[in-house]
Amino acid sequence: MSFSVELKNGHSLRVRDINLQAELNSNEVRFSYQGLSNDPISSGYVLAITEFTFAYNAVLLADGFQMCAQTTGTVQNPEDVGRHSEQSQYYRIYSPSASKRYYNYLLVEEDAAYTLFGFTSCHRFAGYFELVELENHHWVKICLDGEETCPRDWSSSQLESIVILKGDSLSQLYHEYTHLISCNHSPRQGVKRNAPIGWCSWYAYYSNVSEQLVSDNLNHMEGSLEAIEYVMIDDGHQAFMGDWLAPSSQFPSGIKSLAQEIKRCGKKPAIWLAPFIVQAESDIFCNHKDWLVTHQDGSLLKAEDITYGGWRCTPWYLLDASNPNVQEYFTTIICTMRKEWGIELFKLDALFWGALKGCRAQSGITGVEAYRLGMEAINEGVGKALILGCNAPMWPSLGLVDGMRVSNAVERDKTRCIQVAREAFFRSWQHRKLWQIDPDCATLLPLENQTIEQSNLDFHRNVLLACGGFLMSGDPLSQMTPLAKSTLSRLFVRHKHNQNAARFSSLSLEHAYLRMNKKNDLHCLFNFQQQANTVYLTSDVPVNWYDYWSGEKMTDGRTDVLKVSLESMTSRAFITKR
């Protein structure tokens, strides 16, 4: 027998499983499993359904389970924002023939009004929404991925919580939503700290980074680049994936020695690692196969068996974080890097693979729950240092990271620049609420195999300007041009005056606004369309308008309106002075 739950804002949920108990608090519902049945809970377990009352051309925004997946468009024509749909061959987690899943939240924009369907917790089960037709009506199906676990094996009968919010202000809706999430997942302390400013080795040298190259760049962090605080050794430093304390031949003096050199120069050492994966050549794989996730027949599970196999040093095998020995291993590694090496920022990559489904030491545990156990062990070792999540499962990471990469990797080309911008902007509301967002590195110089045109550079730096958040240079500092240096300097100024992300008033992502201080407002314009566009910027009082980058005054005197023309796929940024 089904039952209904009436939310304060008028939405009604129909719950069909009598084994479920629903606890209502205004517009949020907490679900728990109270039944006697011990049948496995499927990957498409339905908590409830609610009627979808919007036109099929209403604009949607929804997340993916992991960083590289997002969806916008409409019900009739959904559009993947990120590079990797979770139904594609890369990052796949469910069948291409299945209904489209909208993970974590589903936002609907119609007639300048907004409705948000969202999960406010992710302790053990990934939550998602599907849009379906039943009984000649369109419905939102609210689902959990139960991973075929049995209720009697669970550590708790508590499931996850959902909310439905409505409003005319996009920013206010996000504010309400993040507050409810924080009640279930308290953010780490670093979420409110000043955003890190640093240099990252990956986009200059990729895995070919060396001890000498890091030292060379360290020597150029002076003058206009003096504000660089963190020095990130990003991949290439480890002997093998999994043997994180053993240096590669590219770092003959060891990472501890290099970290001490970084500190002597007045900077903070930061490091990259992928804690949940190991390669077959590593000592950890050879000596601790009982620590690894397996198939049901006991054979070792490789990432490529179920999803993307990884970008290098494959095949990747997965550590089982439900195993207490693995948890202790995580804590020990991180604690050693922090206390003995002096690492103050940890970029944790390939986190998605830590939440994959498989057979683990503890029965009844989900991939999400095991991942959170592993991240809690890492948190124990990190102390007050910062954690940046990358390639992470999004909602399973709530409360466990200080920063979160919210876009795919940057590349110095137009297509990737625009794609990364949309990914970052659609998640910019999470900044300093759930985590500090990381829109990825500033890459302002061309490389031998990557060129960047001036219009693309302008677009890229305006994205960083609008986002705020982590600001890491990804260029070889010895080759910095005057334009690249001045761009970083102006980004440093922005971070000095305001740590918030500029707000978008609609899902068109046309205009981002930020009150910088009592005297200055920031306006960032983006034209993602194929045709030219004209925008009118307004101020509540007459002001002087200036181009943010050049300082050129845009008007003869004070005015409360500025007319701006934008060519296709271009961007502009302006600062006002009261």
Side-chain angles (χ1 to χ4, degrees), residues 527-545:
N527 184 6
F528 291 96
Q529 308 305 316
Q530 295 298 325
Q531 63 274 353
N533 191 18
T534 299
V535 179
Y536 292 88
L537 297 177
T538 61
S539 173
D540 54 353
V541 296
V543 293
N544 288 313
W545 299 80

Side-chain angles (χ1 to χ4, degrees), residues 10 72 78 138 157 168 233 241 256 264 279 286 289 305 338 355 367 443 447 466 519 533 560:
T72 187
H138 299 295
S157 62
D168 299 328
I233 308 166
M241 298 283 198
K256 180 178 179 180
R264 282 195 298 270
Q279 64 183 100
C286 294
K289 289 186 176 65
D305 294 339
R338 179 176 64 86
T443 50
L447 296 183
K519 293 184 177 181
N533 191 18
D560 57 1

